[in-house]
Amino acid sequence: MPQETEDLIYGGRVRIRQPARGYRVNADTILLAAAAEIASDAQRVVELGCGVGAALLAVAQRAELGDARFTGVERDADMAALARRNVAANNLESRMEIIVADAVDPPDSLSDALSGFDAVLFNPPYAAPGEGRAPAPARQAAHVGEHPIEAWVRVWCNRMRAGATMTLIHRADKLGEILRALEGR
């Protein structure tokens, strides 16, 4: 088992374990949690590609959402297992679940569990294959995406309730692509 660290984030309100090497919680994670404007009557919140669950945990700790339920979607089973441990460490097992699935191509068997959200949060991979400088192998999946940003937007706009919010953190040079994806949904 790879080495892990235990860290406090979000003003010490969230305790997480994460790999000591490879992709780790960073400023984008905290920015995503801070940027999420979730209506007080929201009942279902999902984070796509949740990794160790840090942003979703921070939103859940910050939000005063009554009985809202939180779902994390993570395709890496090891990271999802770590996210589940973090959910337990933060005493949120009754309100939060972590699902192992590809956020852009979830299996049909999860269609009920992965629809009807009031808020969708994500920090997708920033680069397409061959774009920019290649990241370290341990960070490859987090930085280089198999799916373009419009696929993320299209899939998840169709899984949101009317009036829901979508919050994402991405590169400024992708804004046009993101806006086109939202217009075309």
Side-chain angles (χ1 to χ4, degrees):
M1 180 132 203
Q3 284 190 305
E4 298 173 358
T5 63
E6 183 171 289
D7 303 292
L8 295 175
I9 62 166
Y10 220 68
R13 291 182 283 183
V14 176
R15 178 180 308 277
I16 60 160
R17 294 200 62 78
Q18 61 181 329
R21 300 180 68 66
Y23 188 76
R24 293 175 49 83
V25 171
N26 59 32
D28 290 344
T29 306
I30 303 306
L31 201 61
L32 179 61
E37 289 285 331
I38 299 172
S40 61
D41 62 346
Q43 292 299 303
R44 297 191 67 213
V45 177
V46 65
E47 183 190 1
L48 314 175
C50 71
V52 299
L56 193 62
L57 285 161
V59 168
Q61 293 287 28
R62 175 182 63 122
E64 295 180 14
L65 297 175
D67 295 329
R69 303 271 309 150
F70 298 85
T71 303
V73 179
E74 175 54 53
R75 70 180 181 177
D76 182 310
D78 292 334
M79 291 297 253
L82 199 47
R84 287 187 190 105
R85 287 177 39 211
N86 288 332
V87 167
N90 287 278
N91 299 313
L92 286 167
E93 306 98 301
S94 65
R95 297 180 61 199
M96 190 175 288
E97 72 175 323
I98 305 298
I99 295 174
V100 177
D102 183 329
V104 181
D105 190 20
D108 290 338
S109 61
L110 292 175
S111 62
D112 287 342
L114 295 179
S115 61
F117 290 99
D118 298 297
V120 174
L121 322 171
F122 60 109
N123 179 9
Y126 290 155
E131 183 180 50
R133 185 174 56 117
R139 296 179 180 181
Q140 180 78 16
H143 290 276
V144 179
E146 299 167 10
H147 308 288
I149 188 65
E150 63 260 14
W152 290 76
V153 172
R154 181 179 12 85
V155 167
W156 288 92
C157 279
N158 292 325
R159 294 174 180 270
M160 296 166 64
R161 292 184 181 154
T165 61
M166 179 178 278
T167 305
L168 66 125
I169 302 299
H170 214 295
R171 295 184 346 216
D173 68 332
K174 295 286 185 170
L175 181 59
E177 191 177 328
I178 293 165
L179 292 174
R180 283 190 299 279
L182 288 167
E183 288 173 354
R185 65 169 205 95

